Amino acid sequence: MTTNSTSTRVLLAARPHGWPTDENFRVETVDLPALADGEVRVVNEFCSVDPYMRGRMNDVKSYVAPFALDEPLTGGAVGHVVESRSDALAVGDAVTHQLGWRDVAQAGADQFRKVDEIPGVPLSAYLGILGLTGLTAWVGLQEIAALKEGDAVFVSGAAGAVGSAAGQIARLLGASRVVGSAGSSEKVERLTSRFGFDAAFDYKAAPVREQLPQAAPDGIDLYFDNVGGDHLEAALDVLNPDGRVALCGAISGYNETEPQRGPDNMVNIVKNSLRLRGFTLGAYMHHAPAFYAAMGPWLASGEVVHDETVVDARGDVGATVGAFLGLLRGENTGKMVVRTA
Amino acid sequence: MTTNSTSTRVLLAARPHGWPTDENFRVETVDLPALADGEVRVVNEFCSVDPYMRGRMNDVKSYVAPFALDEPLTGGAVGHVVESRSDALAVGDAVTHQLGWRDVAQAGADQFRKVDEIPGVPLSAYLGILGLTGLTAWVGLQEIAALKEGDAVFVSGAAGAVGSAAGQIARLLGASRVVGSAGSSEKVERLTSRFGFDAAFDYKAAPVREQLPQAAPDGIDLYFDNVGGDHLEAALDVLNPDGRVALCGAISGYNETEPQRGPDNMVNIVKNSLRLRGFTLGAYMHHAPAFYAAMGPWLASGEVVHDETVVDARGDVGATVGAFLGLLRGENTGKMVVRTA
């Protein structure tokens, strides 16, 4: 009798228009076939839910293909091999992969990457600070925005997984001042007390355009943009000459059905010789070795800390949907993960 | 008896609010003192009027200091030395300098740069294609937007001095397709017939967002932006992945008293990994030698052509004001210059 011979998974039942709801998703349980040669079966300990997934639910051309209707959703996940017909992976190996939104994954061994388990660091870290989340912050600061020692740095959405990593990495790489925004007074407090930001503000309490100049009285040299919209506009007001912007996401526009109004001060890009550069991580995976070499010791020493919001979906994979909707509403603190085993 | 012992010049009488009018300017004639040691006197053959001057008429911090009230305006000019008390310059030398908006200039010899007179090329070229105008196009394409062979290039305001230079330089440096916009059907016709653009459209005839995709059916890789506003928004729609934008000016907003609405599709910067970079020429003057080395032969061979609109202000320096207002209304074809001698 094979263990874990079924897989319970979430499918895209209908494309959302605007904010997604439960009706856009469906849960099904299927019997898994016996392993073919070269395949492994993995019990997922944690699955990742991420803002970019909302974009993949639309049927439009983007930097990643849209999710298919009536097919299982995919996304980052980490778990343990429970059965193997491959020499590359053994039962008990910890692996990361992209077959999330389900409790059990099965595929060729080349779909999985073996990782080390670090004492004291939960496996879920590979979905966040030790994974694409941390690497996104690293690449955005170093490669996209060319962080220099002494830069004054502003990070929006700074209590999020990427944002809190970006603020800490900026400080460790020599930023002179790190300012962050977040969407509640509790998150703002965490930015300074836990993540070492020099100043922070609640973007829901007053216009960003009023608060940012107070938090950055000498202007900023580098803006790590997770938000877009009013945050980018406010940043364009205070960026110093030769300032740089890494545009990482525009979460404020993800659920808008109408195009979002752009900054009314684009002329500052010319006046102050600013550089804006958008990026998605795919083209920059070659930075991963340098990132792991830096982040491993930082995590081990406690120089970098990270938050997770863990939603328990053990025995109820469908709870992944609620976690995703909560993420879009900003209910997470730090990286949002779903425990599936 | 010294010749040219008076200087007639234009002063800023009042700061314009929105579009400038004649009332913002005043003409005066002053007696020039005898030359001090090290000084020269220059009769200006041509004075330059340029869009950036409108910005300097506002009392706001920008990349150049504002013009002072009740002081003579300044700007590019080219002329001949008529009297010299400096070993650096002799009577008859052709020189470029920044003491424009007047018929006779007098200052220390270090304020003037001696230039060669090229047979068949009018001295006014040093105010345009052989001067900062051509250099702006060169720097924007090569340094700011990293032009690559095979790029599809879009230039807005392409019938202007910078725009027509940019289109021709892009073609000579290996662009696969060069598309331009201009503000009348006559200018559009000149773009293809005279300046060698592959396609062009009249931005006043229909929304740019409708016309640009038809003129660039395979998208664009590089956008040289002289306009901002609706042009930048349309370009963000069609820029291919890893596309680059050189933001050189935003003439569409110069006379607006309200902030200009920004592009509603900034999210494309993230989706397509775009780079936007603003610039003003000051930081890039070290490119001048390479530029002159390329542009000299191109002009001599006729591979690059240039247009001028010459306003005759001989005996009426005040006509410079009308030339400047006409420039802002788009009445020029190519570089707008004023003949003052």
Side-chain angles (χ1 to χ4, degrees), chain B residues 261-284:
Chain B
R261 187 183 69 82
D264 66 12
N265 52 357
M266 296 288 285
V267 69
N268 290 346
I269 300 173
V270 182
K271 285 184 182 170
N272 290 320
S273 300
L274 306 181
R275 306 182 195 195
L276 280 67
R277 184 169 162 192
F279 75 109
T280 53
L281 197 57
Y284 303 99

Side-chain angles (χ1 to χ4, degrees), chain A residues 62-63 232 247-250 259-267 269-271 273-280, chain B residues 62-63 232 247-250 259-267 269-271 273-280 284:
Chain A
S62 182
Y63 57 91
L232 179 57
L247 291 149
C248 177
Q260 190 177 35
R261 187 183 70 83
D264 67 11
N265 52 357
M266 295 286 285
V267 68
I269 300 174
V270 181
K271 285 183 180 169
S273 301
L274 307 180
R275 306 183 197 196
L276 281 68
R277 184 169 160 190
F279 75 109
T280 53
Chain B
S62 181
Y63 56 91
L232 179 56
L247 292 147
C248 176
Q260 188 177 37
R261 187 183 69 82
D264 66 12
N265 52 357
M266 296 288 285
V267 69
I269 300 173
V270 182
K271 285 184 182 170
S273 300
L274 306 181
R275 306 182 195 195
L276 280 67
R277 184 169 162 192
F279 75 109
T280 53
Y284 303 99

Side-chain angles (χ1 to χ4, degrees), chain A residues 207-237:
Chain A
V208 181
R209 222 166 184 168
E210 291 175 13
Q211 296 190 84
L212 179 57
Q214 294 168 15
D218 298 321
I220 57 174
D221 304 299
L222 189 159
Y223 172 40
F224 192 108
D225 182 19
N226 291 304
V227 176
D230 58 345
H231 277 77
L232 179 57
E233 189 171 68
L236 292 178
D237 277 351

Side-chain angles (χ1 to χ4, degrees), chain A residues 40-265:
Chain A
V40 299
R41 184 172 294 172
V42 171
V43 169
N44 287 338
E45 303 289 329
F46 296 98
C47 293
S48 183
V49 288
D50 300 282
Y52 80 87
M53 292 169 171
R54 174 62 188 84
R56 293 191 67 186
M57 292 172 187
N58 296 332
D59 188 19
V60 293
K61 182 186 155 209
S62 182
Y63 57 91
V64 281
F67 289 125
L69 269 184
D70 288 318
E71 291 287 330
L73 294 164
T74 59
V78 63
H80 288 100
V81 176
V82 294
E83 198 180 341
S84 174
R85 287 193 62 193
S86 163
D87 293 340
L89 292 171
V91 170
D93 282 351
V95 291
T96 62
H97 58 97
Q98 286 298 311
L99 296 170
W101 294 82
R102 72 197 73 189
D103 55 359
V104 181
Q106 180 169 318
D110 61 347
Q111 302 288 303
F112 301 86
R113 183 174 74 88
K114 187 178 173 183
V115 295
D116 295 323
E117 297 196 60
I118 300 172
V121 179
L123 213 48
S124 55
Y126 281 104
L127 302 180
I129 190 75
L130 266 177
L132 301 186
T133 302
L135 184 57
T136 297
W138 174 270
V139 165
L141 290 168
Q142 299 244 82
E143 171 73 13
I144 306 300
L147 175 67
K148 296 194 305 281
E149 198 165 317
D151 276 349
V153 173
F154 172 47
V155 180
S156 58
V162 171
S164 61
Q168 294 177 88
I169 293 171
R171 178 174 46 76
L172 287 163
L173 293 178
S176 63
R177 183 175 176 83
V178 183
V179 174
S181 72
S184 75
S185 57
E186 292 73 19
K187 289 180 179 179
V188 165
E189 203 280 323
R190 288 179 71 77
L191 289 183
T192 52
S193 67
R194 178 159 165 78
F195 295 120
F197 283 68
D198 298 289
F201 60 86
D202 176 0
Y203 63 78
K204 292 177 178 169
V208 181
R209 222 166 184 168
E210 291 175 13
Q211 296 190 84
L212 179 57
Q214 294 168 15
D218 298 321
I220 57 174
D221 304 299
L222 189 159
Y223 172 40
F224 192 108
D225 182 19
N226 291 304
V227 176
D230 58 345
H231 277 77
L232 179 57
E233 189 171 68
L236 292 178
D237 277 351
V238 301
L239 275 156
N240 294 323
D242 300 313
R244 290 142 276 135
V245 180
L247 291 149
C248 177
I251 196 170
S252 67
Y254 280 165
N255 293 298
E256 303 290 337
T257 51
E258 295 297 315
Q260 190 177 35
R261 187 183 70 83
D264 67 11
N265 52 357

